[in-house]
Amino acid sequence: MTQELIETVSVLRPGKSLVVAIDGPSGSGKSSVSKEVARRLKLAYLDTGAMYRALTWFCVENGTDLNDGAAVETAAEALPLEISTSPQEEYVRVDGKDVTLAIREPAISAAVSAVATTLGARTELIRRQRELIEKHHRRMVVEGRDITTVVAPGAEVRMLLTASEEARLRRRGIQLGGSQNAEQLAAQVTQRDAKDSTVVNFTTAADGVVTLDSSELDFDETVQAALDIVDTVVNYTVGQQKSTSQHRAAHGD
């Protein structure tokens, strides 16, 4: 898999890792908000959901039985994926073919849960996701459904971005330009969440994860709230480290 490395300018935690892990349900604004947070902080960006969609497209294209866990796992291991890790542009390629738009089609949205709930496939994609984080010197905004608990539980900043079902359906409809009816939107949002929640919890914040409810916030307000969380957590961590160092110095530790 080819990865695009972007120059990461130290804005916070200069010379140190800064992984911002963001989880949340469908339509919560994870992708757009995470991408803008990455752009503002000059960090790399990874949409892990696009990886599951790309694998789903690959399986469908090759006639892989999505109910055959072993076959889906084999497809995951063979997936020739290229995905942008820059917040400035978006592309997903499978075996050199641009599938950026194709993976957002209703047929893929309807099938992606079957792939995302295949544990062997998840294991392989999680391995690739962690590899990408390391390739960017652990300076990246990573968003998905199991980032705060599985992919990067040691991330410096972990947050759950959520919103009411009404807000999520409305946002997803706008994002897709009104191209899908209410039934298709429900399948993309609530039904997929129900299926995916059988293998990962992305509706309740784990210990140490900050919840950001954007139901009553617009895009800019949500981005600012996310940036405020990053700043607060980083500054709190720095303060804790200084306090610990001073304590050790005072006691000759």
Side-chain angles (χ1 to χ4, degrees):
M1 178 170 58
T2 299
Q3 293 89 17
E4 173 193 345
L5 300 180
I6 65 170
E7 180 183 359
T8 54
V9 180
S10 297
V11 175
L12 292 175
R13 292 177 57 84
K16 299 179 180 179
S17 64
L18 178 55
V19 176
V20 180
I22 301 179
D23 284 330
S26 299
S28 60
K30 293 191 309 294
S31 295
S32 55
V33 170
S34 297
K35 188 180 296 184
E36 182 61 16
V37 168
R39 190 186 70 79
R40 299 270 191 98
L41 297 178
K42 296 182 172 62
L43 299 175
Y45 162 75
L46 181 62
D47 175 358
T48 64
M51 297 176 72
Y52 286 99
R53 286 176 173 272
L55 175 56
T56 304
W57 182 92
F58 184 61
C59 288
V60 171
E61 185 74 3
N62 290 287
T64 302
D65 182 356
L66 300 184
N67 294 314
D68 184 340
V72 173
E73 181 178 352
T74 297
E77 292 170 349
L79 179 65
L81 177 67
E82 297 175 62
I83 184 168
S84 172
T85 50
S86 166
Q88 306 294 349
E89 62 178 327
E90 177 183 3
Y91 66 74
V92 182
R93 303 182 188 117
V94 175
D95 201 18
K97 180 181 177 63
D98 190 328
V99 298
T100 309
L101 297 179
I103 64 173
R104 305 294 175 182
E105 291 293 327
I108 300 301
S109 297
V112 68
S113 283
V115 170
T117 53
T118 300
L119 298 182
R122 292 192 73 85
T123 297
E124 170 59 17
L125 292 189
I126 288 168
R127 182 192 67 78
R128 296 193 190 201
Q129 291 156 15
R130 288 172 174 167
E131 183 180 76
L132 279 169
I133 293 172
E134 294 301 325
K135 282 183 176 289
H136 286 280
H137 312 292
R138 297 188 57 81
R139 292 190 64 82
M140 175 180 269
V141 176
V142 190
E143 54 100 345
R145 292 172 181 269
D146 59 355
I147 314 304
T148 64
T149 56
V150 178
V151 178
E156 284 72 28
V157 182
R158 298 186 297 154
M159 70 178 82
L160 176 70
L161 178 57
T162 189
S164 66
E165 182 175 315
E166 178 186 3
R168 292 188 290 116
L169 285 168
R170 182 180 68 252
R171 290 169 185 171
R172 181 53 59 89
I174 294 173
Q175 179 187 16
L176 296 173
S179 61
Q180 297 184 34
N181 59 36
E183 183 178 348
Q184 290 173 320
L185 283 175
Q188 279 220 8
V189 178
T190 56
Q191 292 177 34
R192 184 187 169 195
D193 284 349
K195 292 177 182 177
D196 289 0
S197 65
T198 61
V199 295
V200 62
N201 180 12
F202 50 86
T203 57
T204 305
D207 289 345
V209 177
V210 181
T211 298
L212 171 52
D213 187 333
S214 66
S215 300
E216 304 300 324
L217 304 177
D218 63 22
F219 175 72
D220 290 335
E221 290 170 337
T222 305
V223 169
Q224 188 56 57
L227 289 170
D228 289 345
I229 289 172
V230 173
D231 189 59
T232 298
V233 172
V234 169
N235 284 333
Y236 174 78
T237 301
V238 170
Q240 289 290 94
Q241 290 172 341
K242 286 182 178 179
S243 176
T244 300
S245 296
Q246 291 169 352
H247 175 82
R248 287 176 176 172
H251 291 81
D253 294 346

